[in-house]
Amino acid sequence: MPNARATHLTRRGILAAGGALGLGAALAACGDGKDSKSGGTESTKAADKSGPWTFKDDRGTTVKLDKVPANIVAFTGVAAALYDYGIEVKGVFGPTTTKDGKADVQAGDMDVSKVTVLGNEWGQFNIEKYAGLAPDVLVSTMFDTAGTLWYVPEESKDKILKLAPSVGISVYDVQMPQPLQHMLALAESLGADVKSAKITEAKKKFETAAERLRKAAKARPEIKVLAGSASQDIFYVSGSNLSIDLEYFKALGVNIVEPSDKALKASGGWFENLSWENVDKYPADIIIMDDRSSTIQPADITEATWRKLPAVKAGQVIARTPEPILSYDKCTPILDKLAEAIENAKKVA
């Protein structure tokens, strides 16, 4: 995951791991997903903005309000997904802008100048600004079964969660279609027209892309795909379990390189730490690299051992999005990109 947290690791430590963890991968026509371990999502679409609103999240918590939330505060990636469905938020927390002031990859198509940024980095959350927004609801993703809301600081969560009810969407140990469905249900409950031509077409394109990836994987079962993430001292290799993207890729037949069970156990199931000297431990034909701004991107890796990898020399390195923006529009290119890479890959491992 991006830095999902392992139960016995600090969340900060996992965050440092970047996307190695597949923090990270339903019931779509292209693959069976696992049921959420923390409950299902049910939504009731209000007839208008003045009507009552209820939503049952993946913690099994049902939020009930007298009217549809107007002042929504969300983790950046959640806000970006809602934006794709026509729902705009007042405030965001999490990676929103880069050092040069541009929109972070996790902000999607949002105009980041029009939202109040409560915190742009791990551990940052301006409670005073949050209170000033008079929030109706806070929404984030969850990377564990304990209901921990992603990027809500542990040390201040009690103060934050007293100010408004919260909704959690699980992205832990489920396949991509499931949280996509839950996010769409949330958007619908907030007023999105999920039967619109735009959204209907987006869902069809996602299903088409999934089928393309399934066919590519079936035709090229020998192509090994390694999910990596780079930091200054460590190269992380993600296992296919726990992450919504990797679990789904595997279900579609993609040959994912798996770290050792012992190494995965040490990280709570997410990834294996490798020194740059040992970056060639696992042969791979394609390397998919964490695209989050908190990690070192392939073009900036200077390690000689990296440059010698067969997949790198063959130009078979593509981006991976461990924390996908949960809209069909944003997830479709992820599937198409991997399918294309597998279709065109040379066997180099």
Side-chain angles (χ1 to χ4, degrees):
M1 71 173 199
N3 300 314
R5 74 173 211 168
T7 54
H8 62 289
L9 296 177
T10 64
R11 292 204 300 170
R12 177 60 186 171
I14 296 184
L15 180 70
L21 335 195
L23 213 232
L27 308 173
C30 20
D32 294 331
K34 302 175 183 177
D35 292 333
S36 171
K37 296 174 176 54
S38 51
T41 302
E42 299 172 359
S43 63
T44 301
K45 182 177 179 182
D48 55 54
K49 291 292 182 179
S50 63
W53 183 80
T54 66
F55 190 84
K56 184 178 181 181
D57 74 0
D58 287 321
R59 298 169 298 183
T61 299
T62 299
V63 178
K64 298 181 180 181
L65 298 175
D66 292 336
K67 59 181 180 179
V68 176
N71 296 339
I72 303 168
V73 173
F75 171 67
T76 303
V78 170
L82 292 176
Y83 182 88
D84 284 353
Y85 292 130
I87 306 298
E88 298 189 20
V89 306
K90 297 291 185 180
V92 297
F93 54 94
T96 306
T97 58
T98 57
K99 293 180 179 179
D100 58 6
K102 296 181 180 179
D104 187 273
V105 64
Q106 295 192 59
D109 295 330
M110 282 193 303
D111 184 344
V112 295
S113 68
K114 293 184 178 180
V115 294
T116 299
V117 181
L118 304 175
N120 197 53
E121 298 179 5
W122 185 261
Q124 294 181 351
F125 196 110
N126 191 312
I127 301 177
E128 185 176 350
K129 280 188 178 181
Y130 178 56
L133 293 174
D136 294 320
V137 68
L138 178 149
V139 190
S140 190
T141 49
M142 302 182 299
F143 287 95
D144 60 23
T145 57
T148 305
L149 297 173
W150 192 233
Y151 268 82
V152 174
E154 191 72 21
E155 61 274 14
S156 54
K157 67 176 183 180
D158 291 341
K159 292 181 180 179
I160 293 169
L161 299 180
K162 283 181 180 179
L163 296 174
S166 62
V167 167
I169 302 295
S170 178
V171 287
Y172 176 79
D173 199 12
V174 293
Q175 294 174 25
M176 188 183 286
Q178 181 169 313
L180 273 171
Q181 293 166 0
H182 290 183
M183 189 63 71
L184 184 64
L186 175 61
E188 180 181 20
S189 77
L190 294 170
D193 180 5
V194 300
K195 295 182 179 180
S196 68
K198 178 181 178 181
I199 295 177
T200 300
E201 183 64 21
K203 291 179 69 176
K204 288 182 179 178
K205 287 182 177 179
F206 176 82
E207 293 169 0
T208 298
E211 185 57 30
R212 178 187 179 184
L213 180 54
R214 185 196 297 279
K215 290 179 178 178
K218 184 177 181 179
R220 304 294 306 278
E222 77 281 7
I223 298 300
K224 296 181 179 180
V225 178
L226 182 147
S229 183
S231 68
Q232 182 174 351
D233 301 316
I234 300 174
F235 183 78
Y236 302 90
V237 179
S238 292
S240 64
N241 290 325
L242 306 185
S243 303
I244 65 171
D245 61 333
L246 300 183
E247 282 204 8
Y248 192 43
F249 297 163
K250 186 176 181 179
L252 292 173
V254 176
N255 185 356
I256 302 290
V257 173
E258 302 287 357
S260 69
D261 290 341
K262 181 178 180 181
L264 287 174
K265 185 176 180 180
S267 69
W270 290 105
F271 59 94
E272 178 175 357
N273 298 354
L274 296 178
S275 66
W276 284 104
E277 288 75 15
N278 296 316
V279 72
D280 60 352
K281 179 176 180 179
Y282 298 106
D285 301 293
I286 297 172
I287 301 176
I288 54 177
M289 289 292 289
D290 186 349
D291 68 355
R292 288 168 304 160
S293 57
S294 60
T295 67
I296 300 175
Q297 297 306 299
D300 299 319
I301 299 175
T302 58
E303 300 291 340
T305 49
W306 164 260
R307 295 176 180 176
K308 292 179 181 178
L309 292 176
V312 175
K313 293 171 69 175
Q316 296 178 172
V317 178
I318 65 172
R320 175 199 170 202
T321 305
E323 293 186 72
I325 293 172
L326 295 172
S327 71
Y328 290 99
D329 182 65
K330 293 297 185 295
C331 287
T332 295
I334 294 173
L335 304 182
D336 274 329
K337 187 186 303 180
L338 181 55
E340 181 180 15
I342 293 174
E343 290 164 354
N344 300 324
K346 297 177 181 178
K347 180 64 183 173
V348 297

